[in-house]
Amino acid sequence: MMSNLTGAERTSAMLISGMGVVIGLTMAIVGRNDVMGAQGWIVLAFSAVVFFMVANALYHPEPTEDRTTSYYDDPTKVGIVLALVWAVVAMGIGVWVAAQLAWPGLRFDAAWSSFGRIRPVHTSGVIFGFGGNALIATSYHIMQRTSRARMPDQVTPWFVLLGFNLFCIIAASGYLMGVTQSKEYAEPEWYADIWLVVVWVAYFVLYIRTLARRNEPHIYVANWYYLAFILVVAVLHIVNNLAIPASLAGAKSYSAFSGVQDAMTQWWYGHNAVAFFLTSGFLGMLYYFLPKRADRPIYSYRLSILSFWGITFFYIWAGSHHLHYTALPHWVQTLGMTFSVMLLIPSWASAGNALMTLNGAWHKVRDDATLRFMMVAAVFYGLSTFEGSFMAIRPVNALSHYTDWTIGHVHAGAMGWVALITFGSIYALTPVLWHRERMYSAKAVEWHFWLALAGTVIYVFAMWNSGITQGLMWRTYTQSGTLRFSFTDTLIAMHPYYVARALGGLLFVTGACIGFWNVIMTIRHVSKQNRELDHPTSPKATEPVLPVAE
Amino acid sequence: MTILVILIPVTLLMGIVGLGAFFWTLHSNQYEDLSGDAERILFDDDRPLPAQNVQAPAKLKETPS
Ligand code: HEM
Ligand code: HEM
């Protein structure tokens, strides 16, 4: 991998990681009386490993290949493997969290293993670690292939990928030590937030520079979904994390806003994080890998562009549906509710478009588990957006809010849609990326598919049941107008569902482990296949791409 | 709800950036050949690399332009 970097590139990689070492050391010294010090050592260790890996190869022979004739895939490969590692770890922790809810003793009385600390390790681990790495890796692939151009340089993609993983590691290790600013999905403290801004800006610039080099006049719609994901997440992240550190020598900071103002900012962020992190980017994946795998163009390309602009303009306004019946003014709640319902249209347009693309190729869906992953993902996307629009209606939310129904909705989206489309894309991408004929074991893909589907269905049904039971019990009154059930009564009623959920999660993780194994075996054991035509259009040979008749 | 004084303008600003991007796509003829655009991602580059194929330059001349 290092051998593909020139001497100058190796030097700048060493400079950057050297700076990381210095920053880590500074944090460790300045924050020695605080948990920030421990975080500093982690930064230092991470940067030092990168530094020595590059230094080790500094005087190796330089690459001689002609860069215009190939795509740059090394960071994509590492990103895919990292995504799978995070998947196994973070979903494994999800099962542990689920098991703790069924059997609280599984905490083993340590501070770091308490529910409040490992729960965010699960959520950040799956969303950012697994989802984020998968998004970055697939975006590297898609931006180059659809532009028929190579990335502009070879240092930025590494900086973005490794820098992002450093952020995830600081976040996850921080939670275990009790570092959190208590904003869901934005728990990391100020130094991690600043770091993510730097990484994210580099990511955006890299994307734009690659598009600017394109040898293809049209920008394929998947790129727009990725760009919206990058740009909006940047803005949301900056606004929601505006905070004043209590001291530059410690992790603690105070939000710039307070009370309901802060809550509104948090859910403006939180909802759009769902929209642009867990939806927009993954739609980009869907719009590229589904047509590719089915080998037929998207059913209506026009509709895919329309739904892109629809989602972009509607989603932003829906965040207040997380704050129904709170101190938030009524009209702001109504605004969020209205936009949430309208959102169903562009959402279903995408789901329908994906399914219509497969119409006429059902035999492929039957025979190919990879394509089936993508099809089921589109179905769950349709399902969870329908459910979301329904739950956003104020009286419905009165029942669903605070209950496991929300958790069911989350995982219908997160497991059924986000994870399944990612696994499908990884299976489609792996052979292309490593120039392999096929996946190592088609049977293992099949197993993974059924385990993932069974796991999701068990999880989601358990939570629907538990959530509605819980919600109804909470609002049952006796004749004399007092509450009929105590809180403990609801806990007892939920116990069997919690056990079922842990079981569903276990199936799902088992599938992910099989997938990880299959990818590694594909890389190591499947014979190579030369892909003669998978290269950038050389600028010398560019012909007008428009049809001659025009 | 003073916070809306920040959130709504930021949101509108993102909307305007989006709108700007949309107008840019209209101006740069992004929607001229939609079915072709959808289909082209399915194909890899049409020629093998010149280095791998000695006849490439001759072939190039044959392509109608
Ligand atoms: C092995 C599969 C999984 C299991 C067993 C699992 C388990 C859990 C559990 C037990 C919770 C806490 C629920 C509560 O506090 O009542 C949770 C929350 C959450 N999980 Fe998972 N999860 C899994 C997969 C995923 C995946 C793949 C994603 C995302 C891509 C995800 C995203 C989330 C989110 C966003 C929350 C927070 C929900 C909220 O606060 O409303 N999970 N998960
Ligand atoms: C049209 C699309 C959607 C709408 C209108 C929608 C609406 C909602 C509503 C009303 C809630 C409950 C808020 C509450 O009572 O606290 C919610 C929660 C949530 N939804 Fe959705 N949803 C949509 C799509 C999705 C998708 C596709 C995903 C995942 C990939 C997702 C992930 C989540 C998460 C993670 C939460 C929990 C937030 C939290 O409390 O921690 N949503 N959504």
Side-chain angles (χ1 to χ4, degrees):
Chain A
M1 230 149 252
M2 292 302 165
S3 60
N4 286 337
L5 298 177
T6 62
E9 285 163 348
R10 289 175 202 166
T11 318
S12 45
M14 273 179 71
L15 272 177
I16 296 173
S17 48
M19 262 155 63
V21 171
V22 174
I23 294 174
L25 194 64
T26 318
M27 279 172 70
I29 294 172
V30 174
R32 64 191 174 283
N33 296 322
D34 188 85
V35 270
M36 192 175 105
Q39 301 247 284
W41 289 112
I42 294 173
V43 176
L44 191 149
F46 185 94
S47 315
V49 169
V50 178
F51 185 85
F52 284 114
M53 275 166 71
V54 185
N56 217 6
L58 190 59
Y59 297 111
H60 286 188
E62 296 210 6
T64 51
E65 51 146 13
D66 176 4
R67 287 198 174 170
T68 55
T69 62
S70 67
Y71 295 119
Y72 189 44
D73 286 340
D74 290 350
T76 319
K77 293 177 182 169
V78 174
I80 292 294
V81 174
L82 283 173
L84 286 165
V85 172
W86 278 103
V88 170
V89 173
M91 290 175 199
I93 293 182
V95 176
W96 187 13
V97 178
Q100 278 197 2
L101 285 172
W103 303 286
L106 290 177
R107 181 198 147 179
F108 305 119
D109 282 333
W112 66 268
S113 61
S114 58
F115 178 79
R117 294 196 185 180
I118 62 172
R119 189 188 193 271
V121 176
H122 163 64
T123 54
S124 292
V126 279
I127 299 176
F128 301 120
F130 165 61
N133 272 305
L135 285 169
I136 293 178
T138 52
S139 75
Y140 285 174
H141 181 83
I142 293 174
M143 66 166 96
Q144 296 186 91
R145 296 311 190 278
T146 58
S147 303
R148 297 182 194 279
R150 189 186 168 99
M151 288 184 186
D153 76 297
Q154 300 202 141
V155 178
T156 323
W158 285 114
F159 174 75
V160 173
L161 183 72
L162 298 179
F164 179 73
N165 278 279
L166 175 60
F167 167 80
C168 297
I169 292 172
I170 302 177
S173 61
Y175 305 153
L176 295 179
M177 294 186 260
V179 179
T180 172
Q181 58 179 6
S182 317
K183 290 188 157 197
E184 201 174 11
Y185 317 128
E187 291 96 342
E189 275 291 357
W190 57 276
Y191 43 85
D193 293 334
I194 295 176
W195 174 241
L196 188 64
V197 173
V198 176
V199 170
W200 220 245
V201 170
Y203 186 20
F204 186 69
V205 173
L206 173 71
Y207 211 120
I208 297 291
R209 280 169 71 208
T210 308
L211 289 184
R213 291 159 59 91
R214 69 187 190 281
N215 292 312
E216 148 77 49
H218 181 74
I219 301 177
Y220 187 66
V221 68
N223 292 300
W224 288 103
Y225 282 99
Y226 279 105
L227 278 176
F229 143 65
I230 302 171
L231 192 66
V232 178
V233 167
V235 177
L236 299 172
H237 173 76
I238 292 173
V239 175
N240 189 39
N241 286 301
L242 290 175
I244 315 281
S247 136
L248 287 180
K252 178 90 194 104
S253 68
Y254 291 95
S255 170
F257 319 110
S258 62
V260 71
Q261 322 278 346
D262 197 32
M264 182 65 242
T265 318
Q266 159 60 21
W267 285 109
W268 176 79
Y269 163 85
H271 177 75
N272 289 311
V274 167
F276 287 91
F277 211 106
L278 291 180
T279 299
S280 179
F282 291 93
L283 280 172
M285 252 185 227
L286 175 85
Y287 276 119
Y288 181 78
F289 287 109
L290 184 119
K292 265 303 226 202
R293 186 71 185 190
D295 201 21
R296 28 181 34 218
I298 196 79
Y299 170 70
S300 166
Y301 191 59
R302 187 181 303 269
L303 188 61
S304 74
I305 293 170
L306 270 177
S307 30
F308 169 74
W309 293 107
I311 281 188
T312 310
F313 289 123
F314 286 174
Y315 242 124
I316 294 273
W317 300 98
S320 54
H321 65 218
H322 290 265
L323 296 170
H324 282 328
Y325 301 103
T326 61
L328 197 69
H330 209 67
W331 68 269
V332 184
Q333 299 177 20
T334 310
L335 180 85
M337 170 169 119
T338 315
F339 271 91
S340 304
V341 175
M342 295 198 304
L343 203 60
L344 187 62
I345 300 165
S347 305
W348 271 31
S350 283
N353 210 348
L355 294 177
M356 288 304 284
T357 304
L358 296 174
N359 199 12
W362 294 115
H363 60 285
K364 289 189 188 170
V365 179
R366 188 191 59 211
D367 298 338
D368 180 8
T370 305
L371 202 54
R372 224 177 306 131
F373 263 110
M374 301 183 195
M375 184 211 79
V376 174
V379 172
F380 270 102
Y381 178 63
L383 186 95
S384 55
T385 48
F386 176 75
E387 184 185 27
S389 299
F390 184 59
M391 288 164 69
I393 299 169
R394 209 183 286 111
V396 180
N397 199 260
L399 177 65
S400 75
H401 191 70
Y402 296 130
T403 72
D404 285 330
W405 186 355
T406 307
I407 305 296
H409 162 69
V410 169
H411 289 84
M415 295 160 82
W417 154 239
V418 169
L420 292 195
I421 188 67
T422 306
F423 288 133
S425 302
I426 289 179
Y427 286 132
L429 180 56
T430 301
V432 177
L433 211 49
W434 274 275
H435 297 252
R436 296 293 186 261
E437 289 168 347
R438 52 183 171 79
M439 287 302 295
Y440 178 72
S441 162
K443 214 174 199 160
V445 181
E446 196 72 45
W447 267 96
H448 183 184
F449 172 79
W450 289 109
L451 283 170
L453 183 60
T456 310
V457 170
I458 295 177
Y459 191 123
V460 173
F461 272 88
M463 288 299 101
W464 280 339
N465 274 314
S466 146
I468 292 176
T469 310
Q470 194 181 17
L472 291 176
M473 284 173 85
W474 285 344
R475 55 157 73 174
T476 308
Y477 291 89
T478 57
Q479 296 259 289
S480 51
T482 58
L483 289 174
R484 168 81 180 72
F485 298 103
S486 72
F487 190 72
T488 321
D489 291 335
T490 63
L491 284 181
I492 294 168
M494 274 142 49
H495 187 260
Y497 300 117
Y498 282 2
V499 175
R501 185 243 311 260
L503 188 80
L506 196 63
L507 297 183
F508 200 84
V509 166
T510 312
C513 293
I514 294 178
F516 186 32
W517 168 82
N518 204 356
V519 167
I520 299 296
M521 294 305 270
T522 307
I523 301 170
R524 297 183 51 183
H525 294 299
V526 178
S527 52
K528 274 214 167 216
Q529 182 195 46
N530 209 4
R531 289 179 187 268
E532 282 199 335
L533 298 176
D534 185 29
H535 57 75
T537 299
S538 104
K540 276 172 273 165
T542 320
E543 302 284 297
V545 193
L546 287 175
V548 191
E550 290 183 356
Chain B
M1 282 315 289
T2 38
I3 189 67
L4 295 178
V5 177
I6 300 178
L7 295 184
I8 292 184
V10 171
T11 304
L12 283 175
L13 200 76
M14 284 197 278
I16 290 170
V17 171
L19 209 61
F22 179 66
F23 283 134
W24 176 83
T25 60
L26 288 180
H27 275 283
S28 53
N29 302 331
Q30 287 288 317
Y31 306 124
E32 296 282 281
D33 172 30
L34 289 181
S35 49
D37 295 334
E39 213 141 317
R40 272 199 308 284
I41 65 146
L42 302 178
F43 310 124
D44 290 326
D45 206 52
D46 18 20
R47 300 169 213 90
L49 287 172
Q52 291 167 353
N53 186 338
V54 199
Q55 274 125 39
K59 261 195 186 164
L60 276 185
K61 267 185 225 139
E62 282 165 26
T63 10
S65 50

